[in-house]
Short mmCIF file of all heavy atoms in Angstrom, two decimals:
data_model
loop_
_atom_site.label_atom_id
_atom_site.label_comp_id
_atom_site.label_asym_id
_atom_site.label_seq_id
_atom_site.Cartn_x
_atom_site.Cartn_y
_atom_site.Cartn_z
N VAL A 153 -74.56 -135.23 53.61
CA VAL A 153 -74.72 -134.79 55.00
C VAL A 153 -76.16 -134.37 55.23
O VAL A 153 -76.92 -134.14 54.29
CB VAL A 153 -73.79 -133.59 55.32
CG1 VAL A 153 -72.32 -133.97 55.14
CG2 VAL A 153 -74.15 -132.38 54.46
N LYS A 154 -76.51 -134.27 56.52
CA LYS A 154 -77.76 -133.62 56.88
C LYS A 154 -77.43 -132.13 57.03
O LYS A 154 -76.63 -131.76 57.88
CB LYS A 154 -78.32 -134.18 58.18
CG LYS A 154 -78.77 -135.63 58.06
CD LYS A 154 -79.35 -136.13 59.39
CE LYS A 154 -79.78 -137.58 59.26
NZ LYS A 154 -80.34 -138.10 60.54
N PRO A 155 -78.02 -131.28 56.19
CA PRO A 155 -77.61 -129.88 56.16
C PRO A 155 -77.99 -129.14 57.43
O PRO A 155 -78.98 -129.50 58.10
CB PRO A 155 -78.35 -129.31 54.95
CG PRO A 155 -79.57 -130.16 54.84
CD PRO A 155 -79.13 -131.54 55.25
N PRO A 156 -77.24 -128.08 57.78
CA PRO A 156 -77.61 -127.28 58.95
C PRO A 156 -78.90 -126.54 58.72
O PRO A 156 -79.24 -126.17 57.59
CB PRO A 156 -76.43 -126.31 59.10
CG PRO A 156 -75.83 -126.23 57.72
CD PRO A 156 -76.02 -127.58 57.11
N ALA A 157 -79.64 -126.32 59.79
CA ALA A 157 -80.89 -125.58 59.69
C ALA A 157 -80.62 -124.18 59.16
O ALA A 157 -79.65 -123.53 59.55
CB ALA A 157 -81.56 -125.50 61.06
N GLY A 158 -81.46 -123.74 58.23
CA GLY A 158 -81.33 -122.38 57.70
C GLY A 158 -80.37 -122.24 56.54
O GLY A 158 -80.20 -121.13 56.03
N ASP A 159 -79.74 -123.35 56.10
CA ASP A 159 -78.85 -123.25 54.95
C ASP A 159 -79.62 -122.75 53.73
O ASP A 159 -80.61 -123.36 53.32
CB ASP A 159 -78.23 -124.62 54.65
CG ASP A 159 -77.31 -124.59 53.44
OD1 ASP A 159 -76.19 -124.09 53.58
OD2 ASP A 159 -77.75 -125.06 52.36
N ARG A 160 -79.17 -121.63 53.14
CA ARG A 160 -79.98 -120.98 52.12
C ARG A 160 -80.07 -121.79 50.84
O ARG A 160 -81.11 -121.77 50.16
CB ARG A 160 -79.46 -119.57 51.83
CG ARG A 160 -78.05 -119.48 51.30
CD ARG A 160 -77.55 -118.04 51.32
NE ARG A 160 -76.18 -117.92 50.86
CZ ARG A 160 -75.85 -117.70 49.59
NH1 ARG A 160 -76.80 -117.57 48.68
NH2 ARG A 160 -74.59 -117.59 49.23
N HIS A 161 -79.03 -122.51 50.48
CA HIS A 161 -79.11 -123.30 49.25
C HIS A 161 -80.05 -124.50 49.44
O HIS A 161 -80.78 -124.88 48.53
CB HIS A 161 -77.72 -123.77 48.84
CG HIS A 161 -76.84 -122.65 48.38
ND1 HIS A 161 -75.50 -122.57 48.68
CD2 HIS A 161 -77.12 -121.54 47.65
CE1 HIS A 161 -74.99 -121.48 48.15
NE2 HIS A 161 -75.94 -120.84 47.51
N THR A 162 -80.04 -125.06 50.64
CA THR A 162 -80.97 -126.15 50.92
C THR A 162 -82.40 -125.65 50.88
O THR A 162 -83.30 -126.31 50.32
CB THR A 162 -80.66 -126.77 52.29
OG1 THR A 162 -79.32 -127.27 52.30
CG2 THR A 162 -81.63 -127.91 52.61
N LYS A 163 -82.64 -124.49 51.45
CA LYS A 163 -83.99 -123.91 51.43
C LYS A 163 -84.45 -123.68 49.99
O LYS A 163 -85.62 -123.92 49.65
CB LYS A 163 -84.01 -122.60 52.22
CG LYS A 163 -83.87 -122.79 53.72
CD LYS A 163 -83.69 -121.46 54.46
CE LYS A 163 -84.93 -120.60 54.37
NZ LYS A 163 -84.78 -119.35 55.17
N LEU A 164 -83.54 -123.20 49.13
CA LEU A 164 -83.89 -122.98 47.73
C LEU A 164 -84.23 -124.30 47.05
O LEU A 164 -85.26 -124.40 46.36
CB LEU A 164 -82.72 -122.30 47.01
CG LEU A 164 -82.87 -122.10 45.50
CD1 LEU A 164 -84.07 -121.20 45.18
CD2 LEU A 164 -81.59 -121.51 44.91
N ALA A 165 -83.39 -125.31 47.24
CA ALA A 165 -83.64 -126.60 46.61
C ALA A 165 -84.95 -127.21 47.08
O ALA A 165 -85.70 -127.81 46.29
CB ALA A 165 -82.47 -127.55 46.88
N LEU A 166 -85.26 -127.05 48.37
CA LEU A 166 -86.50 -127.61 48.90
C LEU A 166 -87.73 -126.92 48.32
O LEU A 166 -88.78 -127.55 48.15
CB LEU A 166 -86.52 -127.51 50.42
CG LEU A 166 -85.68 -128.56 51.16
CD1 LEU A 166 -85.62 -128.24 52.64
CD2 LEU A 166 -86.24 -129.96 50.93
N ARG A 167 -87.62 -125.64 48.01
CA ARG A 167 -88.75 -124.95 47.37
C ARG A 167 -89.08 -125.61 46.03
O ARG A 167 -90.24 -125.68 45.63
CB ARG A 167 -88.43 -123.47 47.15
CG ARG A 167 -88.45 -122.63 48.41
CD ARG A 167 -88.30 -121.16 48.09
NE ARG A 167 -89.47 -120.65 47.39
CZ ARG A 167 -89.46 -120.10 46.19
NH1 ARG A 167 -88.33 -120.00 45.51
NH2 ARG A 167 -90.57 -119.65 45.63
N TYR A 168 -88.06 -126.09 45.34
CA TYR A 168 -88.28 -126.72 44.04
C TYR A 168 -88.95 -128.08 44.18
O TYR A 168 -89.49 -128.61 43.21
CB TYR A 168 -86.96 -126.87 43.28
CG TYR A 168 -86.36 -125.55 42.84
CD1 TYR A 168 -85.02 -125.48 42.47
CD2 TYR A 168 -87.11 -124.38 42.81
CE1 TYR A 168 -84.46 -124.28 42.05
CE2 TYR A 168 -86.56 -123.19 42.41
CZ TYR A 168 -85.24 -123.13 42.02
OH TYR A 168 -84.69 -121.94 41.61
N CYS A 169 -88.90 -128.68 45.38
CA CYS A 169 -89.57 -129.96 45.60
C CYS A 169 -91.09 -129.84 45.54
O CYS A 169 -91.78 -130.84 45.37
CB CYS A 169 -89.17 -130.54 46.96
SG CYS A 169 -87.52 -131.28 47.00
N ASP A 170 -91.60 -128.64 45.73
CA ASP A 170 -93.04 -128.42 45.75
C ASP A 170 -93.48 -127.84 44.41
O ASP A 170 -93.16 -126.69 44.09
CB ASP A 170 -93.40 -127.46 46.89
CG ASP A 170 -94.90 -127.28 47.05
OD1 ASP A 170 -95.67 -127.88 46.27
OD2 ASP A 170 -95.30 -126.51 47.94
N ARG A 171 -94.20 -128.61 43.63
CA ARG A 171 -94.63 -128.12 42.32
C ARG A 171 -95.50 -126.87 42.44
O ARG A 171 -95.58 -126.07 41.51
CB ARG A 171 -95.36 -129.22 41.55
CG ARG A 171 -96.73 -129.59 42.09
CD ARG A 171 -97.28 -130.86 41.48
NE ARG A 171 -96.75 -132.03 42.14
CZ ARG A 171 -97.19 -133.28 41.89
NH1 ARG A 171 -98.13 -133.49 40.99
NH2 ARG A 171 -96.69 -134.31 42.53
N GLU A 172 -96.11 -126.68 43.62
CA GLU A 172 -96.96 -125.51 43.80
C GLU A 172 -96.14 -124.21 43.79
O GLU A 172 -96.70 -123.14 43.54
CB GLU A 172 -97.74 -125.62 45.11
CG GLU A 172 -98.84 -124.59 45.29
CD GLU A 172 -99.90 -124.65 44.18
OE1 GLU A 172 -100.15 -125.76 43.65
OE2 GLU A 172 -100.47 -123.59 43.87
N THR A 173 -94.83 -124.31 44.05
CA THR A 173 -93.97 -123.14 43.93
C THR A 173 -94.13 -122.51 42.56
O THR A 173 -94.10 -121.28 42.42
CB THR A 173 -92.50 -123.54 44.15
OG1 THR A 173 -92.34 -124.04 45.48
CG2 THR A 173 -91.55 -122.37 43.94
N PHE A 174 -94.33 -123.34 41.54
CA PHE A 174 -94.43 -122.83 40.17
C PHE A 174 -95.87 -122.74 39.69
O PHE A 174 -96.24 -121.78 39.00
CB PHE A 174 -93.58 -123.72 39.25
CG PHE A 174 -92.18 -123.85 39.75
CD1 PHE A 174 -91.76 -125.00 40.39
CD2 PHE A 174 -91.29 -122.79 39.64
CE1 PHE A 174 -90.48 -125.11 40.90
CE2 PHE A 174 -90.01 -122.88 40.14
CZ PHE A 174 -89.59 -124.04 40.78
N LEU A 175 -96.69 -123.71 40.05
CA LEU A 175 -98.11 -123.63 39.68
C LEU A 175 -98.75 -122.42 40.35
O LEU A 175 -99.66 -121.80 39.79
CB LEU A 175 -98.84 -124.91 40.07
CG LEU A 175 -98.31 -126.20 39.44
CD1 LEU A 175 -99.15 -127.38 39.90
CD2 LEU A 175 -98.28 -126.10 37.93
N GLY A 176 -98.26 -122.08 41.54
CA GLY A 176 -98.78 -120.93 42.26
C GLY A 176 -98.44 -119.60 41.60
O GLY A 176 -99.08 -118.58 41.90
N LEU A 177 -97.44 -119.59 40.72
CA LEU A 177 -97.16 -118.38 39.94
C LEU A 177 -98.23 -118.15 38.89
O LEU A 177 -98.62 -117.01 38.61
CB LEU A 177 -95.80 -118.50 39.25
CG LEU A 177 -94.56 -118.65 40.13
CD1 LEU A 177 -93.33 -118.83 39.24
CD2 LEU A 177 -94.39 -117.46 41.04
N LEU A 178 -98.72 -119.26 38.31
CA LEU A 178 -99.67 -119.16 37.20
C LEU A 178 -101.11 -118.96 37.69
O LEU A 178 -101.88 -118.22 37.05
CB LEU A 178 -99.58 -120.42 36.34
CG LEU A 178 -100.52 -120.50 35.14
CD1 LEU A 178 -100.31 -119.31 34.20
CD2 LEU A 178 -100.32 -121.81 34.40
N ALA A 179 -101.47 -119.61 38.79
CA ALA A 179 -102.87 -119.59 39.23
C ALA A 179 -103.46 -118.18 39.33
O ALA A 179 -104.57 -117.94 38.83
CB ALA A 179 -103.01 -120.34 40.55
N PRO A 180 -102.77 -117.19 39.94
CA PRO A 180 -103.37 -115.86 40.05
C PRO A 180 -103.49 -115.14 38.71
O PRO A 180 -104.23 -114.16 38.60
CB PRO A 180 -102.40 -115.11 40.97
CG PRO A 180 -101.57 -116.15 41.63
CD PRO A 180 -101.49 -117.26 40.66
N LYS A 181 -102.77 -115.64 37.69
CA LYS A 181 -102.79 -115.01 36.37
C LYS A 181 -103.73 -115.71 35.40
O LYS A 181 -103.85 -115.30 34.23
CB LYS A 181 -101.39 -115.01 35.76
CG LYS A 181 -100.29 -114.44 36.66
CD LYS A 181 -100.43 -112.95 36.84
CE LYS A 181 -99.24 -112.39 37.61
NZ LYS A 181 -99.37 -110.94 37.85
N SER A 182 -104.42 -116.76 35.85
CA SER A 182 -105.22 -117.56 34.93
C SER A 182 -106.34 -116.76 34.28
O SER A 182 -106.74 -117.04 33.14
CB SER A 182 -105.80 -118.78 35.65
OG SER A 182 -106.70 -118.37 36.68
N GLY A 183 -106.84 -115.75 34.96
CA GLY A 183 -107.92 -114.95 34.40
C GLY A 183 -107.52 -114.15 33.18
O GLY A 183 -108.40 -113.69 32.43
N THR A 184 -106.22 -113.98 32.93
CA THR A 184 -105.75 -113.23 31.76
C THR A 184 -105.48 -114.14 30.57
O THR A 184 -105.07 -113.67 29.51
CB THR A 184 -104.46 -112.45 32.08
OG1 THR A 184 -103.36 -113.37 32.24
CG2 THR A 184 -104.61 -111.63 33.36
N ALA A 185 -105.72 -115.44 30.73
CA ALA A 185 -105.31 -116.42 29.71
C ALA A 185 -106.10 -116.28 28.42
O ALA A 185 -107.31 -116.07 28.41
CB ALA A 185 -105.48 -117.83 30.26
N ARG A 186 -105.37 -116.43 27.30
CA ARG A 186 -105.99 -116.44 25.97
C ARG A 186 -105.41 -117.59 25.16
O ARG A 186 -104.19 -117.79 25.13
CB ARG A 186 -105.72 -115.11 25.25
CG ARG A 186 -106.37 -113.91 25.92
CD ARG A 186 -105.89 -112.61 25.33
NE ARG A 186 -106.18 -112.52 23.91
CZ ARG A 186 -105.74 -111.52 23.12
NH1 ARG A 186 -104.99 -110.56 23.63
NH2 ARG A 186 -106.07 -111.49 21.85
N LYS A 187 -106.28 -118.34 24.54
CA LYS A 187 -105.83 -119.46 23.72
C LYS A 187 -105.16 -118.95 22.46
O LYS A 187 -105.62 -117.99 21.83
CB LYS A 187 -107.00 -120.36 23.35
CG LYS A 187 -107.65 -121.04 24.56
CD LYS A 187 -108.66 -122.08 24.13
CE LYS A 187 -109.83 -121.47 23.37
NZ LYS A 187 -110.88 -122.48 23.09
N LYS A 188 -104.09 -119.62 22.07
CA LYS A 188 -103.39 -119.31 20.83
C LYS A 188 -103.47 -120.52 19.91
O LYS A 188 -104.53 -121.12 19.76
CB LYS A 188 -101.94 -118.90 21.14
CG LYS A 188 -101.85 -117.58 21.94
CD LYS A 188 -102.40 -116.40 21.15
CE LYS A 188 -102.26 -115.10 21.88
NZ LYS A 188 -102.82 -113.95 21.14
N GLU A 189 -102.33 -120.90 19.33
CA GLU A 189 -102.35 -121.97 18.34
C GLU A 189 -101.94 -123.30 18.96
O GLU A 189 -101.35 -123.35 20.03
CB GLU A 189 -101.39 -121.66 17.19
CG GLU A 189 -99.91 -121.64 17.58
CD GLU A 189 -99.49 -120.36 18.30
OE1 GLU A 189 -100.25 -119.38 18.26
OE2 GLU A 189 -98.41 -120.37 18.92
N THR A 190 -102.28 -124.39 18.25
CA THR A 190 -101.77 -125.71 18.63
C THR A 190 -100.42 -125.90 17.95
O THR A 190 -100.13 -125.31 16.92
CB THR A 190 -102.74 -126.83 18.21
OG1 THR A 190 -103.01 -126.72 16.81
CG2 THR A 190 -104.04 -126.72 18.98
N ALA A 191 -99.59 -126.75 18.55
CA ALA A 191 -98.24 -126.96 18.03
C ALA A 191 -97.76 -128.34 18.46
O ALA A 191 -98.39 -129.02 19.27
CB ALA A 191 -97.29 -125.87 18.55
N THR A 192 -96.63 -128.75 17.91
CA THR A 192 -95.97 -130.00 18.29
C THR A 192 -94.60 -129.66 18.87
O THR A 192 -93.80 -129.00 18.21
CB THR A 192 -95.81 -130.94 17.08
OG1 THR A 192 -97.09 -131.21 16.53
CG2 THR A 192 -95.16 -132.25 17.51
N LEU A 193 -94.35 -130.09 20.10
CA LEU A 193 -93.07 -129.84 20.74
C LEU A 193 -92.00 -130.76 20.17
O LEU A 193 -92.29 -131.73 19.47
CB LEU A 193 -93.19 -130.04 22.26
CG LEU A 193 -94.23 -129.20 22.98
CD1 LEU A 193 -94.19 -129.49 24.48
CD2 LEU A 193 -94.01 -127.71 22.73
N ASP A 194 -90.73 -130.47 20.49
CA ASP A 194 -89.63 -131.32 20.04
C ASP A 194 -89.80 -132.75 20.53
O ASP A 194 -89.33 -133.69 19.88
CB ASP A 194 -88.29 -130.75 20.52
CG ASP A 194 -87.92 -129.44 19.84
OD1 ASP A 194 -88.50 -129.15 18.77
OD2 ASP A 194 -87.05 -128.71 20.36
N SER A 195 -90.44 -132.91 21.67
CA SER A 195 -90.68 -134.25 22.23
C SER A 195 -91.73 -135.03 21.46
O SER A 195 -91.90 -136.23 21.68
CB SER A 195 -91.12 -134.13 23.69
OG SER A 195 -92.38 -133.44 23.76
N GLY A 196 -92.45 -134.35 20.57
CA GLY A 196 -93.52 -134.97 19.82
C GLY A 196 -94.90 -134.75 20.42
O GLY A 196 -95.91 -135.11 19.82
N ALA A 197 -94.96 -134.15 21.60
CA ALA A 197 -96.24 -133.90 22.26
C ALA A 197 -97.00 -132.79 21.56
O ALA A 197 -96.42 -131.76 21.20
CB ALA A 197 -96.01 -133.53 23.72
N ARG A 198 -98.30 -133.00 21.38
CA ARG A 198 -99.17 -131.97 20.82
C ARG A 198 -99.68 -131.09 21.96
O ARG A 198 -100.10 -131.59 23.00
CB ARG A 198 -100.34 -132.60 20.08
CG ARG A 198 -99.96 -133.32 18.80
CD ARG A 198 -99.66 -132.35 17.68
NE ARG A 198 -100.81 -131.53 17.32
CZ ARG A 198 -100.76 -130.46 16.54
NH1 ARG A 198 -99.59 -130.04 16.07
NH2 ARG A 198 -101.86 -129.79 16.24
N VAL A 199 -99.64 -129.78 21.74
CA VAL A 199 -100.01 -128.86 22.82
C VAL A 199 -100.85 -127.71 22.28
O VAL A 199 -100.83 -127.40 21.08
CB VAL A 199 -98.76 -128.26 23.51
CG1 VAL A 199 -97.94 -129.35 24.18
CG2 VAL A 199 -97.91 -127.46 22.53
N LEU A 200 -101.57 -127.09 23.20
CA LEU A 200 -102.22 -125.81 22.94
C LEU A 200 -101.44 -124.75 23.69
O LEU A 200 -101.20 -124.88 24.89
CB LEU A 200 -103.67 -125.82 23.43
CG LEU A 200 -104.38 -124.45 23.44
CD1 LEU A 200 -104.57 -123.92 22.02
CD2 LEU A 200 -105.71 -124.54 24.18
N THR A 201 -101.02 -123.71 23.00
CA THR A 201 -100.32 -122.60 23.63
C THR A 201 -101.33 -121.61 24.19
O THR A 201 -102.31 -121.26 23.53
CB THR A 201 -99.40 -121.88 22.62
OG1 THR A 201 -98.43 -122.82 22.15
CG2 THR A 201 -98.68 -120.71 23.28
N VAL A 202 -101.09 -121.20 25.42
CA VAL A 202 -101.93 -120.22 26.10
C VAL A 202 -101.02 -119.11 26.59
O VAL A 202 -99.94 -119.38 27.12
CB VAL A 202 -102.69 -120.85 27.28
CG1 VAL A 202 -103.65 -119.85 27.91
CG2 VAL A 202 -103.45 -122.09 26.83
N THR A 203 -101.43 -117.86 26.42
CA THR A 203 -100.64 -116.74 26.91
C THR A 203 -101.51 -115.84 27.78
O THR A 203 -102.74 -115.91 27.75
CB THR A 203 -100.05 -115.90 25.77
OG1 THR A 203 -101.11 -115.28 25.04
CG2 THR A 203 -99.22 -116.76 24.82
N GLY A 204 -100.84 -114.99 28.55
CA GLY A 204 -101.57 -114.05 29.39
C GLY A 204 -100.67 -112.93 29.87
O GLY A 204 -99.48 -112.90 29.56
N ARG A 205 -101.23 -112.04 30.63
CA ARG A 205 -100.49 -110.86 31.08
C ARG A 205 -99.76 -111.15 32.40
O ARG A 205 -100.32 -111.74 33.31
CB ARG A 205 -101.44 -109.68 31.27
CG ARG A 205 -102.08 -109.22 29.96
CD ARG A 205 -102.86 -107.91 30.15
NE ARG A 205 -103.93 -108.05 31.14
CZ ARG A 205 -105.13 -108.54 30.87
NH1 ARG A 205 -105.41 -108.96 29.64
NH2 ARG A 205 -106.05 -108.62 31.81
N ALA A 206 -98.51 -110.70 32.44
CA ALA A 206 -97.70 -110.78 33.65
C ALA A 206 -97.13 -109.40 33.93
O ALA A 206 -97.16 -108.52 33.06
CB ALA A 206 -96.57 -111.80 33.48
N ASP A 207 -96.59 -109.22 35.11
CA ASP A 207 -96.09 -107.90 35.49
C ASP A 207 -94.98 -107.43 34.56
O ASP A 207 -94.85 -106.24 34.29
CB ASP A 207 -95.58 -107.93 36.93
CG ASP A 207 -96.71 -108.20 37.92
OD1 ASP A 207 -97.88 -108.07 37.52
OD2 ASP A 207 -96.41 -108.53 39.07
#
Side-chain angles (χ1 to χ4, degrees):
V153 299
K154 293 181 180 179
D159 179 76
R160 61 191 178 91
H161 292 141
T162 300
K163 289 172 67 176
L164 175 62
L166 282 172
R167 286 187 68 240
Y168 292 163
C169 283
D170 185 0
R171 70 192 83 172
E172 191 59 31
T173 297
F174 307 103
L175 301 181
L177 298 177
L178 179 58
K181 308 290 186 182
S182 63
T184 71
R186 295 170 60 187
K187 296 189 296 186
K188 294 297 183 181
E189 67 282 345
T190 55
T192 302
L193 303 182
D194 291 342
S195 64
R198 291 284 298 168
V199 297
L200 170 66
T201 299
V202 185
T203 65
R205 295 188 301 277
D207 295 345

